[in-house]
Amino acid sequence: MAEFEAEQALADLEGHTKSYNVAARKLQLLPHTAKYANTLCFEAQINTRAQKAEMTVNLNFKTVVRSTVKTIQNIHVQHKWNAEREYVDFEQTMQSCQDKYNEKCDEANGLTLKATRCETSYDSERKRLDNMLTYLVKDLAFLENEVVKLKSSCEANACETETVLQDYQVEYDKCITLCGEEMLAVQNTMLAALDALMGYKQQVQDVLVASRSNGASIKVSESHC
């Protein structure tokens, strides 16, 4: 009976020893080259020929093993605390990036709306100037026709029509000068409006590129986490 109990106790001890060795490997205590082994041997072995019970297993679990496991636990607790702190910092950084991204989106939307209004104003102004040019061209054609008529009719009454012809010539020259000035003003106005429109479009494009860069940075940070 005593022999059976001894065999049963030995079998239980072997089972516990195997469980310990498995756990020690998971904790990186085995083999002696493991991360937390510090070149020490933490593998439990049973000595069936030991004269004393405390010498049956080669390790002192109450001192060496327990203190080592406690050290590992403290390390993991510290790592967990550091990870939680880094996570909080990361969340704050993410929120800051999101706020900046939202600001850039709002700015881009505002610039887009402004560019649209500018483009609409430019189209309206261009139509008005086109209509003015059309009217001036028609007026110029009418004056040219009148000058031709007067030159043709002046042969019958040269003295009487000379003064009228000169007046029309002066009016014609003024109209030519005015048309030239108006056409130059129209060209300058259209060029200025076009430059403003291109400037607004460039600002919108710059803001959109900056917003996309921030979005890419956020995604990269999330993937690292």
Side-chain angles (χ1 to χ4, degrees):
M1 184 65 179
E3 183 178 356
F4 174 77
E5 291 178 353
E7 290 178 356
Q8 185 64 39
L10 181 60
D12 292 340
L13 181 60
E14 290 177 349
H16 290 304
T17 301
K18 290 180 180 180
S19 299
Y20 160 78
N21 287 334
V22 170
R25 288 187 181 278
K26 291 181 179 180
L27 291 174
Q28 301 186 55
L29 288 174
L30 293 179
H32 69 281
T33 56
K35 182 176 181 179
Y36 300 110
N38 293 327
T39 69
L40 299 177
C41 180
F42 286 94
E43 184 176 4
Q45 297 178 351
I46 298 175
N47 182 8
T48 57
R49 298 182 179 180
Q51 299 297 324
K52 296 181 180 180
E54 60 270 17
M55 299 177 62
T56 304
V57 181
N58 62 320
L59 294 177
N60 189 334
F61 290 94
K62 290 184 178 181
T63 56
V64 179
V65 176
R66 179 173 294 181
S67 62
T68 303
V69 172
K70 183 63 177 178
T71 301
I72 296 173
Q73 182 184 12
N74 292 336
I75 292 173
H76 283 286
V77 169
Q78 183 66 33
H79 287 172
K80 180 182 178 182
W81 185 86
N82 292 338
E84 290 176 350
R85 184 177 59 183
E86 290 176 359
Y87 179 76
V88 171
D89 293 340
F90 175 75
E91 277 191 331
Q92 293 176 350
T93 303
M94 283 286 293
Q95 185 61 46
S96 176
C97 291
Q98 184 65 41
D99 294 340
K100 291 181 180 179
Y101 174 76
N102 292 337
E103 290 177 2
K104 292 297 181 181
C105 287
D106 293 340
E107 184 179 353
N109 292 334
L111 289 175
T112 300
L113 180 60
K114 194 172 183 179
T116 301
R117 292 175 178 173
C118 181
E119 188 172 1
T120 302
S121 177
Y122 167 77
D123 291 337
S124 177
E125 183 67 15
R126 185 180 61 183
K127 290 180 181 179
R128 187 185 71 82
L129 294 177
D130 287 342
N131 292 334
M132 183 183 295
L133 284 175
T134 301
Y135 172 78
L136 290 175
V137 170
K138 288 181 179 180
D139 194 27
L140 180 61
F142 172 77
L143 290 174
E144 288 178 346
N145 188 40
E146 290 297 319
V147 170
V148 171
K149 288 180 180 180
L150 286 174
K151 284 183 178 180
S152 299
S153 63
C154 73
E155 294 178 357
N157 194 1
C159 293
E160 183 179 354
T161 58
E162 182 67 25
T163 302
V164 178
L165 179 62
Q166 289 178 357
D167 291 341
Y168 272 96
Q169 185 65 48
V170 171
E171 186 68 20
Y172 172 75
D173 293 338
K174 290 181 179 179
C175 185
I176 289 293
T177 302
L178 177 61
C179 288
E181 293 175 352
E182 288 290 337
M183 292 179 68
L184 181 60
V186 167
Q187 291 177 356
N188 292 335
T189 302
M190 292 180 69
L191 288 175
L194 183 60
D195 289 340
L197 177 61
M198 295 303 293
Y200 282 125
K201 288 186 175 181
Q202 184 62 42
Q203 290 182 11
V204 172
Q205 184 177 2
D206 293 340
V207 171
L208 290 176
V209 170
S211 298
R212 292 170 183 168
S213 298
N214 287 332
S217 299
I218 295 173
K219 291 182 178 178
V220 170
S221 300
E222 291 177 345
S223 63
H224 287 172
C225 290

